[in-house]
Amino acid sequence: MGTEINWFEIYVLDLDRAEAFYKKIFNASFFEMIDYPCEARGITLNETPESMEGALVKHPSRRPSHEHGTILFFEVDDVDAKREQIKSLGGDDYGDLVTIDIAGAGRLTLIYMTDPEGNIVELQKWHGDSDA
């Protein structure tokens, strides 16, 4: 078996706000965290056989950060529509919307944004020949 990411933590200040954001924007589902060392909610992204689980964590010494935090990359069907959804829930642009050609991979539209907690997410859309 190769190496796989099997857990992630997104540090937040407001669990309710973060849950509402990830549920609305990325259709995440949540589960109770029992015996976790601090206040947290389990999160499942992409409920498929390839789904990922992690946690939204309100940690006493770790804070959300767009400077030092992890970036989650989300492939979406419509970058502009998802961007507007994020802004409507308190997120914001953290970079410019760009479309680039990646040799050997194809054409990619992307933008870095902040969630309402200040963490970075990237929205990306890979273009096939028919939607470039």
Side-chain angles (χ1 to χ4, degrees):
M1 180 173 140
T3 303
E4 297 178 2
I5 295 174
N6 66 3
W7 186 260
F8 61 89
E9 291 183 345
I10 301 170
Y11 298 108
V12 303
L13 299 176
D14 184 326
L15 282 167
D16 292 332
R17 178 176 59 195
E19 179 178 331
F21 175 82
Y22 283 95
K23 186 180 291 181
K24 174 82 174 176
I25 300 298
F26 300 113
N27 200 30
S29 60
F30 293 85
F31 55 92
E32 185 179 356
M33 300 288 293
I34 300 171
D35 297 327
Y36 209 69
C38 52
E39 194 176 352
R41 292 193 187 135
I43 179 174
T44 302
L45 297 171
N46 191 23
E47 290 203 29
T48 67
E50 296 82 31
S51 68
M52 285 203 72
E53 288 188 344
L56 301 178
V57 179
K58 187 174 180 180
H59 195 278
S61 63
R62 295 190 176 136
R63 299 281 181 249
S65 175
H66 60 273
E67 295 175 351
H68 306 290
T70 299
I71 300 173
L72 296 176
F73 297 79
F74 293 94
E75 188 169 354
V76 299
D77 292 329
D78 184 335
V79 171
D80 290 322
K82 198 60 70 176
R83 179 184 185 196
E84 291 309 312
Q85 276 188 304
I86 288 174
K87 287 181 171 186
S88 76
L89 291 175
D92 204 0
D93 293 344
Y94 190 70
D96 296 324
L97 178 66
V98 297
T99 300
I100 56 176
D101 291 308
I102 300 175
R107 191 165 183 79
L108 176 65
T109 297
L110 64 92
I111 188 166
Y112 288 100
M113 300 191 73
T114 58
D115 71 8
E117 299 294 308
N119 295 301
I120 298 289
V121 297
E122 180 186 282
L123 303 179
Q124 54 178 245
K125 164 79 173 152
W126 286 94
H127 301 279
D129 292 336
S130 63
D131 62 352

